[in-house]
């Protein structure tokens, strides 16, 4: 049998090697619609691998006549750049791109040099439908400029130009270019010419796809390798830092920019002549709570390099308190609250909003997707107008329909409204949810409040759907939101300017992102200009030490889910989530649950669908909420994890680095998670049925700050595991749910407790066991 198998293999290899090899260009002949004439035919070609696994599927090969895509998972995971291969495959066609599928191949040699062909953009754009000479080719285009700043996003297209024309640069989400710096000046570009166009004729939609960072080639001057970033933020000073590839001097020019349309007019600069690759300049004598525009420069004998523009903010005037208030309209679980940190759940969100409206003295700027039915809010806004409060409203197009009744009532009362224009060719919306109170009053900074979160202003949203709302008293953050508002408003004045109003992809990244709010780190982003998905992906990738927990109304963006999957390593790193029931058949939910989709998670994540009457309308993510030593984060705002939220909708997002605020959201999450059927804090380590009910000694003991408690239950039952201090006062509930028979472990974190003796007690089926543990700090 082994001899027969060997003979078959030898015959197969002989056929591969001796098959008639044709040129790649010969199988790329198309009809007038750009469809291959040889579609579904089998041919054999030979070429050098120019892209292997850099894009995932497909890979690319090239001979002296042209390049072609190879769509085969075994091929791209097995070959290397520079391999010479012979491929026998079926000619296929996908969205304009000719591909080879059903592949058999052999590797003829390795380590061959691959040299890109130098061409211009006009040669790519001008290809004929009947013979797309440069489709799938390995090319180089010199002296390219790009529209964009900051860092490259995942799966994002950018407009690039050379002296001959303009085309598209595509950043594939599999490459290491994601998150790397976008060149601020001309550069040379190496890559593969891809194509993606839905409808015939398939002779457009070309994309140049660099494979890795080395395909972006910059020259002249020190060359920025990281963009300027701010740190050490105070009311009157900020440090600006960046790195360059080669040594150079350091210079920052900057000025206060009070409005979106403020012209560039540098008023100050800081300079250091030291030649270095690590640049850091301290800007002093700044004004509190102000937005600044800055540009960094570095010069050496090769020339001057310029960093991308940086908008930064100083910390607020000291009279600004930095107070943060969080509210939930559904009940929360106080059993996981840190001491003296009970979250406010089950609140009437209307009551708190009315109080804030009544407190406004000067201005209220509002950006809302939906505003209707809650007449008291309309009435209080109209009363505010009568006492001199200036109100501006940015509002969604409502698919071209008239505004909702309460919005019409405000218009009739004299409120100016700017609506996002209705475009029939897309479904993008103005999806923000925020109020800014008294930010335009410069006589006081203690009354500048931001209201944001997941809730629209309707009865359903306030009283039926699960929502979160956060209030922040901070001059600087309110100024950033005002800047975003005025970009959509089209004006810095009381009157909107529709001709200058910008929404969706028309907006630019022109707001600060980092804030120091009373010692708390807060990051602020707006979609679609600020690559929000990439921000979240990077936070998940770089900040997660123990857990990722989320409540999401709409979760369809796989890039975010895949970052979570990359961190998921139970029980060391957990992913838990609650989806709205509208995600029942969604591929992200099915994959995480391990029951469907293309790549089901194994092991499955602890994710559930909400089970109450309304919708789970939350949009929040918690990183390390159960590990306060690791600088936990809450992300919240209006942003759903979707392509629409990423690329077209107007959205607002906050990332707050504060253990107390994160813990309040965690109390809400635990209630939603356990109500949906999950359990928190306890992990089943074995499903084998134990012979007896057992509570083990914690380890380590003594401990600081964490210890692990193991226990066995011989039958399905309701289990309570509590912690008491030396006086007998209950200080924590670690387990409070029904568990199936098996062995379990739970981690107790004593970070918020003092040193001393504690007792942990396990109750199940009428049996109680207690043991002692010691916390030493």
């Amino acid at each position: 049998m082994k001899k027969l198998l060997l003979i078959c293999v030898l015959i197969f290899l002989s056929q591969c090697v001796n098959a008639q090899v044709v040129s790649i260009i010969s199988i790329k002949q198309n009809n007038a619609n750009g469809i291959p004439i040889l579609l579904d035919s089998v041919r054999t070609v030979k070429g050098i691998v120019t892209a292997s696994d850099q894009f995932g599927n497909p890979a690319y090969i090239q001979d002296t006549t042209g390049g072609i895509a190879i769509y085969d998972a075994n091929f791209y995971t097995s070959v290397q750049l520079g391999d010479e291969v012979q491929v026998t495959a079926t000619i296929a066609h996908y969205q304009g791109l000719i591909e080879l599928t059903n592949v058999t191949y052999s590797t003829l040699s390795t380590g061959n040099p691959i040299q890109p062909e130098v061409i211009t953009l006009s040669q790519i754009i001008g290809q004929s439908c009947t013979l797309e000479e440069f489709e799938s080719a390995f090319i180089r285009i010199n002296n390219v400029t790009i529209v964009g700043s900051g860092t490259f996003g995942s799966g994002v297209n950018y407009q690039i130009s050379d002296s001959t024309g303009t085309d598209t640069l595509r950043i594939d989400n599999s490459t290491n270019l994601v998150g790397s710096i976008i060149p601020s000046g001309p550069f040379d570009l190496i890559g593969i010419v891809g194509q993606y166009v839905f409808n015939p004729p398939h002779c457009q939609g070309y994309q140049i796809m660099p494979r890795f960072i080395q395909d972006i080639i910059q020259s002249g001057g020190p060359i920025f390798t990281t963009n300027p970033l701010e740190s050490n933020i105070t009311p009157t000073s900020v440090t600006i830092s960046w790195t360059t590839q080669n040594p150079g001097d350091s210079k920052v020019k900057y000025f206060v920019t009070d409005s979106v349309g403020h012209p560039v007019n540098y008023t100050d600069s800081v300079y250091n002549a030291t030649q270095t690759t690590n640049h850091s300049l301290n800007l002093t004598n700044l004004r509190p709570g102000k937005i600044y525009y800055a540009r960094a420069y570095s010069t050496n004998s090769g020339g001057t390099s310029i960093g991308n523009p940086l908008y930064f903010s100083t910390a607020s005037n000291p009279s600004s308190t930095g107070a943060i208030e969080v509210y939930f309209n559904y009940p929360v679980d106080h059993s996981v609250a840190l001491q003296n940190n009970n979250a406010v759940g089950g609140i009437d969100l209307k009551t708190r909003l009315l109080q804030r409206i009544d407190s406004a003295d000067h201005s209220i700027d509002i950006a809302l997707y939906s505003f209707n039915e809650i007449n008291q809010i309309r009435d209080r806004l109209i009363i505010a107008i009568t006492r001199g409060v200036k109100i501006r409203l940015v509002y969604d197009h409502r698919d071209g329909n008239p505004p909702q009744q309460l919005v019409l009532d405000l218009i009739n009362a004299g409120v100016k409204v700017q609506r996002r224009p209705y475009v029939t060719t897309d479904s993008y919306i103005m999806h923000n949810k925020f109020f800014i109170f008294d930010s335009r009053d410069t006589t006081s900074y203690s009354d500048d409040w931001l209201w944001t979160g997941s809730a629209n202003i309707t009865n359903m949203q306030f009283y039926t759907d699960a929502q979160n709302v956060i209030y922040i008293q901070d001059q600087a953050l309110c100024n950033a939101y005002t800047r975003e508002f005025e970009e959509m408003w089209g004006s810095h004045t009381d009157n909107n300017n529709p001709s200058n109003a910008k929404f969706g992809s028309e907006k630019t990244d022109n707001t600060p992102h980092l804030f120091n709010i009373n010692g708390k780190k807060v990051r602020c982003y707006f979609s679609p200009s600020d690559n929000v998905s990439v921000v979240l992906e990077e936070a998940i990738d770089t900040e997660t030490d123990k857990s990722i927990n989320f409540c999401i109304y709409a979760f369809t963006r796989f890039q975010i889910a895949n970052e979570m999957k990359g961190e998921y390593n139970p029980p060391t790193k957990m992913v838990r989530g609650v989806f709205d029931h509208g995600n029942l058949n969604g591929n992200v939910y099915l994959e995480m649950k391990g029951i469907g989709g293309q790549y089901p998670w194994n092991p499955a994540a602890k994710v559930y669908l909400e089970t109450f009457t309304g919708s789970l309308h939350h949009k929040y993510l918690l990183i390390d909420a159960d590990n306060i030593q690791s600088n936990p984060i809450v992300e919240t705002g209006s942003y759903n994890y979707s392509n629409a939220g990423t690329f077209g909708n107007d959205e607002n997002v906050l990332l707050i680095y504060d253990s107390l605020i994160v813990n309040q959201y965690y109390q809400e999450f635990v209630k939603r998670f356990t109500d949906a059927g999950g359990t928190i804090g306890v992990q089943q380590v074995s499903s084998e049925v134990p012979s007896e009910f057992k509570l083990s000694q914690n380890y380590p003991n003594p401990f600081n700050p964490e210890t692990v408690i193991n226990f066995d239950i011989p039958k399905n039952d309701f289990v309570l595991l509590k912690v008491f201090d030396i006086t007998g006062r209950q200080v924590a509930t670690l387990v409070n749910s029904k568990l199936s028979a098996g062995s379990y472990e739970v981690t107790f974190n004593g970070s918020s407790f003092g040193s001393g003796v504690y007792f942990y007690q396990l109750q199940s089926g009428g049996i109680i066991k207690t043991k002692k543990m010691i916390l030493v700090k």
Side-chain angles (χ1 to χ4, degrees), residues 375-393:
N375 295 337
Q376 296 95 322
I377 295 178
R378 172 205 59 195
D379 295 342
R380 298 295 180 85
L381 288 171
I382 293 175
I383 291 172
I385 295 171
T386 63
R387 66 172 191 269
V389 177
K390 300 176 181 180
I391 297 179
R392 306 185 294 187
L393 173 61

Side-chain angles (χ1 to χ4, degrees), residues 23-314:
S23 66
I24 289 176
I25 198 68
S26 71
I27 63 176
K28 295 176 64 175
Q29 309 289 326
N30 297 329
N31 62 24
N33 282 325
I35 305 296
I37 295 173
L38 297 176
L39 187 67
D40 297 327
S41 300
V42 177
R43 292 293 188 273
T44 299
V45 295
K46 185 164 60 176
I48 307 296
V49 176
T50 54
S52 54
D53 62 349
Q54 287 75 32
F55 310 123
N57 252 342
Y60 292 82
I61 66 171
Q62 182 149 331
D63 66 8
T64 57
T65 67
I68 197 162
I70 311 290
Y71 192 83
D72 183 272
N74 182 59
F75 183 84
Y76 88 81
T77 56
S78 302
V79 299
Q80 303 292 324
L81 296 180
D83 286 356
E84 183 185 19
V85 294
Q86 183 166 311
V87 177
T88 300
T90 302
I91 300 170
H93 181 261
Y94 178 73
Q95 309 294 25
L97 185 69
I98 300 175
E99 299 177 332
L100 295 180
T101 62
N102 303 319
V103 172
T104 58
Y105 79 97
S106 60
T107 301
L108 307 179
S109 62
T110 62
N112 295 284
I114 50 175
Q115 188 70 28
E117 181 179 0
V118 179
I119 62 172
T120 64
L121 287 177
S122 64
Q123 290 175 273
I124 297 173
I125 300 165
Q127 293 180 91
S128 165
C129 262
T130 57
L131 182 62
E132 297 171 295
E133 177 185 359
F134 296 108
E135 178 196 79
S136 299
F138 182 49
I139 56 91
R140 175 170 178 154
I141 302 172
N142 292 329
N143 203 30
V144 173
T145 58
I146 187 169
V147 176
S149 62
T151 57
F152 284 118
S154 174
V156 178
N157 292 343
Y158 297 87
Q159 179 182 300
I160 57 172
S161 302
D162 66 2
S163 60
T164 70
T166 298
D167 202 5
T168 299
L169 180 145
R170 170 76 175 177
I171 302 299
D172 188 272
N173 56 22
S174 297
T175 69
N176 64 4
L177 280 150
V178 176
S180 66
I181 190 169
I182 298 175
S184 58
F187 61 97
D188 296 345
L189 172 64
I190 293 175
I192 305 292
V193 179
Q195 187 177 21
Y196 193 86
V197 57
F198 285 100
N199 301 314
H202 297 285
C203 45
Q204 51 195 331
Y206 298 111
Q207 305 171 334
I208 296 87
M209 304 186 300
R211 302 161 299 169
F212 28 62
I213 289 175
Q214 293 84 349
D215 282 347
I216 304 289
I217 303 169
Q218 303 179 65
S219 60
I223 302 174
F224 280 67
T225 52
T226 64
N227 264 321
L229 292 175
E230 69 272 40
S231 62
N232 303 323
I233 299 171
T234 78
T236 59
S237 65
V238 168
T239 300
I240 306 297
S241 304
W242 69 94
T243 61
T244 53
Q245 179 176 306
N246 305 307
D249 61 14
S250 309
K251 185 176 185 177
V252 172
K253 297 180 180 179
Y254 59 97
F255 66 97
V256 173
T257 170
D258 289 320
S259 68
V260 174
H262 201 127
V264 174
N265 182 22
Y266 298 111
T267 58
D268 296 279
S269 65
V270 177
Y271 178 70
N272 188 328
T274 304
Q275 297 283 303
T276 182
T277 58
N278 296 306
H279 307 262
S280 185
L281 293 175
N282 194 36
L283 281 53
T284 59
N285 298 317
L286 306 179
R287 297 164 59 187
K290 284 292 186 178
I291 296 173
Y292 283 79
Y293 177 96
R295 208 73 189 263
Y297 300 77
S298 188
T299 301
N300 62 16
S301 59
T304 297
S305 297
I306 307 174
N308 284 330
L310 173 67
Y311 290 90
F312 70 86
S313 175
T314 51

Side-chain angles (χ1 to χ4, degrees), residues 615-630:
S615 295
L616 181 125
H617 198 254
H618 289 304
K619 304 104 170 44
Y620 69 75
L621 169 79
L622 310 178
I623 296 178
D624 290 345
D626 48 354
N627 184 19
I628 63 173
Q629 298 300 310
S630 68

